[in-house]
Amino acid sequence: MKRGDLLRYLRKHGCHLKREGRSHSLWTNPVTGAVEAVPRHAEISDVLARKRRDVFFFGWVAERVGFEPTIRY
């Protein structure tokens, strides 16, 4: 996935840039309070992009429906 596409997706869903780092940008979701680092590569792997999306949004959705997810790494 292109970095621009991921950033567009984050903005569309209410996230905003917290600060720029040397090799990553920190984005925050004001609804969930989640903060995630997005690398400054032109191309971001789909697996990493999905992880960023899930961390930002899954917690909020799970909270609204009363689901406690079991996260396995």
Side-chain angles (χ1 to χ4, degrees):
M1 168 181 270
K2 296 284 186 185
R3 183 174 192 267
D5 294 338
L6 178 59
L7 298 184
R8 224 176 338 277
Y9 178 86
L10 295 176
R11 283 188 198 102
K12 177 181 173 186
H13 289 90
C15 296
H16 63 274
L17 180 66
K18 182 173 183 174
R19 70 177 175 86
E20 290 284 349
R22 183 174 179 168
S23 60
H24 290 77
S25 302
L26 291 180
W27 284 77
T28 185
N29 182 335
V31 175
T32 63
V35 177
E36 275 294 312
V38 176
R40 287 181 150 179
H41 303 289
E43 187 74 27
I44 298 172
S45 75
D46 290 339
V47 173
L48 185 62
R50 273 194 303 273
K51 180 187 179 294
R52 297 300 183 251
R53 181 198 65 204
D54 292 348
V55 167
F56 275 124
F57 303 110
F58 184 70
W60 177 70
V61 172
E63 183 180 293
R64 297 212 45 188
V65 297
F67 176 73
E68 284 294 324
T70 303
I71 299 174
R72 296 180 190 163
Y73 293 99

